[in-house]
């Protein structure tokens, strides 16, 4: 899976109508520097977002940063990384959980597919798991494409360069469309390379569940279920099945599409509550930090959630260190759980939980032998 960096980037503002409903009236909802990118970095680039006044879709209002960003900052899809997810005590590779979810939604029809293409295939971890004879992929990152070439027929190109003469039985992408400049153009490419009976599966962050997705610099579009269904219908697809959230992957959804003209659903205004929820989480942590300056403050987590708070709060100016077993060996200011306990770093301290709330109880168990340790979650704004 890859976050599909766009090709043929346009150095301009998004001064065009809403890609979903076609309206031209927007209100600015976010302008901040520094910002956070989806590969978990704090970047010295300005993030600007706007909301469509008609349908409520949130999008980037300025994309002039894209050339600089993908050239000098973006790192995610150059690493052959397939992290381990944990759900109810069971460990599973990220790619395996995605495949399980897709298979659940598509069903046995996948067994009839003879060819598959993944748009934005990254290093090919997910594509490799599909038991389909002819595997193809496109990936704009040269390094990631080299990894993927070991398991499928991979081209180091963006989706725009796929010929519309090509046809595939199974077409899928995961967390790509939100990175594209024009999501209608992306959907049209899917439409043209599909046969009448092809299965199209698109995964993306969905705004119906709580997340800080709107604060990702390189996520250019933020859709609710209704907004994305309308967008798919507008581009000649029927949405046959979809689901938002699966196991510990609570902030994204997968949609199964069929190439078929359909009547457009009614599009109504929907407020993106995640922008406001994220502001609350930011304020929660800033207030907590201000009120506890005399305490020993340690943070758990050095991944996506941690970088969200590092980017948009005063966290880095007051926290003494971070705890993260995965990053402990590669980051100077990050230590392991074992080291934190053995050196009494977390004794009589506040441990700020900067991880998916799904994992909080699991994390607390790791520190149950530590005396005087209190936990704080900026999501719930509670101390335990």
């Amino acid at each position: 899976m890859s976050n599909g960096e766009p090709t043929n980037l346009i150095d301009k503002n998004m001064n065009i109508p809403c890609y979903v409903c076609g309206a031209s009236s927007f209100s600015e909802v976010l302008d901040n520097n520094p910002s956070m990118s989806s590969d978990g970095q704090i970047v010295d680039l300005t993030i600007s977002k706007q909301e469509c006044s008609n349908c409520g879709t949130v999008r980037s209002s300025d994309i002039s940063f894209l050339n600089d960003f993908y050239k000098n900052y973006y790192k995610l899809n150059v690493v052959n990384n397939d992290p381990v997810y944990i759900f109810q005590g069971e460990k599973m590779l990220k790619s395996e959980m995605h495949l399980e979810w897709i298979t659940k939604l598509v069903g046995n029809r996948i067994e009839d597919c003879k060819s598959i293409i993944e748009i934005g295939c990254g290093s090919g971890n997910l594509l490799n798991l599909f038991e389909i004879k002819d595997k193809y992929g496109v990936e704009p990152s040269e390094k990631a494409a080299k990894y993927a070439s070991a398991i499928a027929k991979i081209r180091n190109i963006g989706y725009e360069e796929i010929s519309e003469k090509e046809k595939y039985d199974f077409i899928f992408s995961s967390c790509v469309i939100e990175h594209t400049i024009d999501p209608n153009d992306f959907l049209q490419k899917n439409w043209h390379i599909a046969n009448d009976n092809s299965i199209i599966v698109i995964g993306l962050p969905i705004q119906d569940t709580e997340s800080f997705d709107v604060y990702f610099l390189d996520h250019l579009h933020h859709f609710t279920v209704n907004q994305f269904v309308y967008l798919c219908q507008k581009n000649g697809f029927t949405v046959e099945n979809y689901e938002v959230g699966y196991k510990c992957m609570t902030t994204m959804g997968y949609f199964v599409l069929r190439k078929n003209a359909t009547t457009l659903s009614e599009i109504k205004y929907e407020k993106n509550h995640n922008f406001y929820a994220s502001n609350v989480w930011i304020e929660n942590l800033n207030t907590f930090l201000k009120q506890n300056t005399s305490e020993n403050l340690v943070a758990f987590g050095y991944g996506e959630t941690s970088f969200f708070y590092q980017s948009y709060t005063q966290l880095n100016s007051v926290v003494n260190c971070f705890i993260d077993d995965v990053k402990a060996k590669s980051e100077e200011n990050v230590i392991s759980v074992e080291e934190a306990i053995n050196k009494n770093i977390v004794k009589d301290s506040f441990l700020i939980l900067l991880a998916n709330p799904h994992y909080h109880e699991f994390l607390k168990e790791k520190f149950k032998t530590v005396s005087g340790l209190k936990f704080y979650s900026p999501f719930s704004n509670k101390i335990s």
Side-chain angles (χ1 to χ4, degrees):
M1 292 170 287
S2 164
N3 289 40
E5 59 202 62
T7 58
N8 302 322
L9 300 180
I10 303 172
D11 188 23
K12 67 174 186 178
N13 290 344
M14 285 271 206
N15 54 350
I16 54 178
C18 175
Y19 286 113
V20 176
C21 71
S24 299
S25 177
F26 295 87
S27 58
E28 299 299 319
V29 293
L30 176 63
D31 186 85
N32 197 85
N33 186 304
S35 57
M36 174 194 174
S37 57
S38 63
D39 56 343
Q41 297 187 82
I42 302 171
V43 293
D44 186 23
L45 295 170
T46 298
I47 181 172
S48 301
K49 302 282 181 173
Q50 61 185 193
E51 177 190 71
C52 174
S53 301
N54 182 57
C55 71
T57 301
V58 172
R59 70 180 189 184
S60 295
S61 55
D62 184 352
I63 59 172
S64 60
F65 68 88
L66 284 175
N67 286 309
D68 184 28
F69 173 72
Y70 282 112
K71 181 179 180 181
N72 298 312
Y73 293 95
Y74 191 65
K75 296 179 180 179
L76 179 65
N77 63 2
V78 302
V79 180
N80 185 19
N81 181 33
D82 195 5
V84 174
Y85 284 176
I86 301 173
F87 180 72
Q88 296 181 347
E90 178 186 357
K91 293 183 178 181
M92 182 179 287
L93 290 175
K94 176 182 178 180
S95 60
E96 293 173 342
M97 192 173 290
H98 277 267
L99 178 68
E100 184 178 83
W101 190 4
I102 292 169
T103 303
K104 171 191 172 186
L105 293 175
V106 174
N108 294 333
R109 290 184 298 159
I110 198 170
E111 298 175 2
D112 298 325
C113 296
K114 305 300 182 184
S115 62
I116 181 174
I117 184 171
E118 181 178 4
I119 301 175
C121 64
S123 53
N125 292 314
L126 178 53
L127 180 59
N128 186 43
L129 298 180
F130 282 92
E131 295 183 359
I132 295 177
K133 181 181 177 181
D134 296 323
K135 297 180 183 179
Y136 302 88
V138 297
E139 170 53 48
S141 165
E142 182 178 358
K143 291 183 179 179
K146 285 183 179 179
Y147 284 119
S149 294
I151 56 94
K153 300 172 185 176
I154 306 298
R155 286 173 288 173
N156 178 211
I157 59 174
Y159 81 86
E160 300 92 337
E161 297 176 70
I162 302 173
S163 170
E164 294 181 358
K165 295 180 181 179
E166 300 174 30
K167 303 296 177 185
Y168 301 93
D169 298 330
F170 193 96
I171 303 161
F172 86 99
S173 59
S174 184
C175 297
V176 173
I177 191 170
E178 69 273 16
H179 292 263
T180 63
I181 293 174
D182 184 347
N184 289 299
D185 183 66
F186 180 81
L187 288 170
Q188 279 298 298
K189 182 65 71 173
N190 279 259
W191 192 93
H192 282 292
I193 64 174
N195 296 307
D196 290 340
N197 294 319
S198 294
I199 301 168
I200 301 96
V201 177
I202 297 178
L204 71 159
I206 289 294
Q207 304 304 304
D208 296 64
T209 58
E210 286 191 342
S211 75
F212 44 80
D213 176 70
V214 289
Y215 274 84
F216 284 139
L217 173 70
D218 50 317
H219 285 192
L220 308 184
H221 310 279
H222 309 277
F223 305 114
T224 64
V225 167
N226 291 334
Q227 290 160 357
F228 188 65
V229 168
Y230 185 87
L231 192 71
C232 292
Q233 291 173 343
K234 189 172 75 167
N235 283 281
F237 292 107
T238 295
V239 178
E240 294 193 326
N241 197 8
Y242 75 87
E243 185 175 35
V244 177
Y246 182 71
K247 293 189 173 180
C248 59
M249 300 185 292
T250 59
T251 62
M252 70 171 291
Y254 269 112
F255 293 74
V256 181
L257 314 180
R258 179 77 73 176
K259 184 177 178 179
N260 184 27
T262 185
T263 303
L264 282 175
S265 303
E266 184 180 3
I267 186 73
K268 296 181 179 179
Y269 176 82
E270 287 184 277
K271 174 70 72 175
N272 188 322
H273 294 288
N274 282 332
F275 172 75
Y276 303 96
S278 298
N279 275 337
V280 170
W281 299 332
I282 290 169
E283 184 60 29
N284 286 346
L285 184 52
N286 277 332
T287 300
F288 172 82
L289 296 173
K290 185 177 180 180
Q291 293 174 345
N292 293 278
T293 53
S294 62
E295 300 284 349
N296 182 43
L297 302 177
V298 183
F300 185 97
Y302 207 73
E304 183 178 281
T305 302
S306 178
F307 281 105
F308 164 67
Y309 286 108
Q310 289 183 56
S311 299
Y312 300 110
T313 72
Q314 301 301 312
L315 183 71
N316 283 340
S317 64
V318 294
V319 163
N320 295 321
C321 69
F322 292 86
I323 301 172
D324 190 305
D325 284 339
V326 175
K327 300 293 182 64
K329 296 180 180 179
S330 59
E331 301 291 339
E332 185 176 341
N333 63 332
V334 183
I335 61 175
S336 66
V337 172
E338 183 179 8
E339 182 180 356
I341 294 175
N342 291 342
K343 293 185 177 180
N344 290 324
I345 291 173
V346 288
K347 182 180 179 181
D348 299 319
S349 303
F350 270 113
L351 186 60
I352 304 169
L353 299 175
L354 305 180
N356 187 324
H358 171 81
Y359 293 115
H360 285 188
E361 293 305 315
F362 173 78
L363 296 176
K364 290 177 183 179
E365 280 294 306
K366 290 178 174 286
F367 298 92
K368 62 183 180 181
T369 61
V370 179
S371 62
L373 177 61
K374 292 176 285 188
F375 300 92
Y376 172 72
S377 167
F379 292 104
S380 65
N381 200 30
K382 292 181 179 179
I383 296 171
S384 58

